[in-house]
Amino acid sequence: MRWLLFKDLRILRRSPLLVALLVLYPLVVALLVGVALSSGPSKPKVAFANLVPPDEATISVGGRRLDAATYASELFDAVDAIRVDSRAEAIAKVRSGEALGALVIPPDVIDRLQATLSLAGGEPPTVEVYYSAENPLKRRYVEATIDATLADANKALSNEIFSEAASYLNLIVAGGSLSLPVVGEVDILGLRNARAIVDAAITGLPDDSSARAALEQVSRFAGLAADNLNVSKPILASISTPITVQERSLSGSDTSLDVFGVEVAVVISLMNVALLLAAGMLALEREEHVFGRLVRGLVTRTGLLVEKIALAGSCAWALASVMLAILVAFLDLGWSRTPAWLAALALAAVAFAALGAAIGGVTRDVRAASLLAFMLALPIAALALVPSGAVDGTLYDAIRIVSGAFPFKPSLTALDAGLSGGSLVTPLAHLAALTVAFTALARLALRRFR
Amino acid sequence: MAAPRTDALPALRVEALSKSYGDRRALQDVSFIAAPGELIAIIGPNGAGKTTLLQILGGALVATSGTVSLDRDDVGWVPQQPAVYSKLSVRENLWLFARLEKVGDVEATVNRMLDQTGLGDRAGDPLGELSGGNRQRVNVAVGLLGDPAVLLLDEPSSSLDPRQRARLWDFIATLAREQGTTVVYSTHNVAEAERYADRLLVLADGELLFTGTPAELERATGEHDATDFEGAFVRFLRSRGH
């Protein structure tokens, strides 16, 4: 078998374009994924037209004046804003493709906000958002970014309003001084002080005084009102954030999106190399009409299969290991789990190579084998990435069964366990079972040929 | 061409060989003997069983009944299409198959084959760059690496032009003459069978209709026309109901 292996390596060496593609493809993918993940997502370019006159950009909440520009800065943290002076200019930026979207703050927004806060009624303040419908993905991205940013701005504003309302409640409950325009400083007695005064007055009354019962009623009301208004502050606070989220992962690992991206990139590259090499090199034996000569006693069919799986598995494993090592270095994931992810990649490479051999076993030439390998690889990867809950339950069960019958999903699970510290036993056993099954299928397929 | 050593022990003895695929009988009680150094051509119409007979002799197929006197190791197999690697050179192909055949002295065997094929000066050229005739020479040489007693060739000249065919047959005839290798080949080219074979096996519908020299086949038709052996062959088949 070693002479066949030697021969295959020599043939590969004489196919520089193929080898260059097989080596460079995963390395380039690794570099791209590494750079993309380590540099983080870029901000979308959004045209921003603030049509509010600069001297009218403040709102009054109680006795305080708030600058709307403070809340607009929330927006600039999330997007790359292109400042323009008019609505038409903002729309033109979107149409020309210079900006992915446009946010227009109409001139009346401050007046409307002020009216809403002072309970004067009227239309609520509205900002205008324009998207390009050229690309639904792009539109969704900008829409989500602007929606999230506006939600943050709304929350910041509501926090300010809550803070102001809470100070009024304090004044009503505990008393103090309030500064009012025109009138100036005004002393507020407060409910607690009022109750103390009433209680003192009751103490000075004769027991049979007819006013005692009425004053006791006022004292009780003042106490009750002070207590309940105090309690209303946390209730008011909950309005700005009515629901808080507590996240707990019930299954799978707590892998970050970055690491998951790395895992997918590595497994896709490993799959492509192993499938194409195993399928192509086995099909080559028939394309060159050598298969019949080989199996006429020089090599057994099983030996030939094992040689192709070993060749493709070793090459895919080596390339995927280099690729993952580059990504581990880029993302600073640490090297302590290296033996575990090397083992995961090894089993994954062998399982994909066995699948490739099965593909090579049913095709008669290299082109057909390569085409079939590609046609099979894409849906296998896509199905394995469908998350539960994204589709109907029955359909998901079917997808899960199909994904489980191919090495992509277990390879991803094994690599995730290898990188994140989960248990490798189940995914490696799964991959080993698939290796045996696809080798048996390939062996059956080879029975047809002489 | 030197006569085969018919006085020696037979190199190949085939007795009552039959092969069935379900109800269809691909070969029916075929028996013949081949002497060392003899060139035997198997001719017949399409579906006659020529390739089936060669495959059974070569060990690629198992007969339903009957016996073949040779082990697979004593047989060299040369498929119709050159079964060699086009990305490897002539020497590398011979070296690889010599390794797989587990021949004793690989280098000496490869050099001998390069001499015999006359391709010593092109030993480093990739097979893909050789002419069809030269590729077929390497194909035959690979079949001879194990120094077999019998060489089986399945339509070896079907894809060659007349000049390449003549060179190939000279090469094969020389091998048979100098090494005493028995050569059994199938062909559709009746003129080629007449010209190069010592003996003919005529198969039709799996049945061996005739075994003898080309001249004996012509005589069997009752007419003799030295310029039209193909016509004689067709008349023979018709006379036997094929």
Side-chain angles (χ1 to χ4, degrees), chain A residues 242-381:
Chain A
I243 298 169
T244 56
V245 179
Q246 188 176 48
E247 292 176 348
R248 287 199 186 99
S249 174
L250 295 177
S251 61
S253 69
D254 52 358
T255 305
S256 70
L257 188 61
D258 289 1
V259 175
F260 183 70
V262 166
E263 291 165 1
V264 171
V266 170
V267 173
I268 285 178
S269 299
L270 179 139
M271 171 179 71
N272 283 337
V273 174
L275 281 186
L276 287 173
L277 259 188
M281 295 309 282
L282 186 57
L284 182 71
E285 302 291 2
R286 279 213 300 284
E287 189 171 285
E288 298 268 40
H289 310 288
V290 181
F291 181 78
R293 176 167 261 164
L294 288 176
V295 299
R296 252 195 80 257
L298 300 182
V299 190
T300 62
R301 284 174 164 83
T302 306
L304 191 62
L305 271 182
V306 170
E307 184 266 327
K308 300 303 175 205
I309 292 170
L311 171 78
S314 305
C315 291
W317 178 75
L319 286 170
S321 299
V322 171
M323 180 180 176
L324 188 52
I326 292 171
L327 290 168
V328 165
F330 252 111
L331 300 175
D332 201 18
L333 297 177
W335 299 98
S336 61
R337 301 281 307 161
T338 304
W341 57 255
L342 282 177
L345 287 180
L347 256 288
V350 173
F352 276 120
L355 173 59
I359 292 169
V362 295
T363 47
R364 288 177 183 274
D365 59 73
V366 177
R367 269 177 292 188
S370 306
L371 185 63
L372 187 57
F374 261 120
M375 285 174 66
L376 205 57
L378 289 175
I380 288 173

Side-chain angles (χ1 to χ4, degrees), chain B residues 170-185:
Chain B
D170 285 344
F171 168 59
I172 292 170
T174 305
L175 283 175
R177 188 171 57 244
E178 293 182 357
Q179 295 187 9
T181 308
T182 301
V183 178
V184 181
Y185 64 95

Side-chain angles (χ1 to χ4, degrees), chain B residues 51-202:
Chain B
T51 301
T52 303
L53 176 57
L54 281 179
Q55 285 182 330
I56 293 172
L57 298 180
L61 268 184
V62 178
T64 308
S65 62
T67 57
V68 178
S69 63
L70 287 175
D71 287 340
R72 196 214 66 80
D73 291 344
D74 297 324
V75 178
W77 169 260
V78 180
Q80 183 177 354
Q81 300 280 351
V84 282
Y85 296 100
S86 52
K87 289 259 181 198
L88 299 184
S89 69
V90 175
R91 178 180 288 280
E92 286 166 346
N93 268 291
L94 293 172
W95 187 89
L96 169 70
F97 285 103
R99 284 286 183 196
L100 294 174
E101 287 275 6
K102 299 185 177 68
V103 302
D105 187 342
V106 171
E107 294 303 328
T109 306
V110 168
N111 288 332
R112 179 167 54 86
M113 282 302 155
L114 285 173
D115 278 348
Q116 287 183 350
T117 52
L119 291 171
D121 56 335
R122 304 203 63 179
D125 290 357
L127 257 288
E129 293 179 7
L130 297 188
S131 67
N134 282 341
R135 272 204 296 272
Q136 193 61 289
R137 279 173 170 237
V138 179
N139 193 30
V140 174
V142 170
L144 288 164
L145 279 167
D147 204 11
V150 175
L151 184 65
L152 306 172
L153 302 105
D154 187 7
E155 299 189 30
S157 61
S158 60
S159 58
L160 305 182
D161 64 37
R163 194 173 60 90
Q164 287 175 330
R165 274 208 300 271
R167 288 181 62 197
L168 179 73
W169 283 113
D170 285 344
F171 168 59
I172 292 170
T174 305
L175 283 175
R177 188 171 57 244
E178 293 182 357
Q179 295 187 9
T181 308
T182 301
V183 178
V184 181
Y185 64 95
S186 66
T187 182
H188 273 108
N189 190 329
V190 177
E192 201 171 72
E194 182 204 14
R195 186 168 177 190
Y196 296 106
D198 299 316
R199 199 145 54 93
L200 304 176
L201 301 181
V202 179

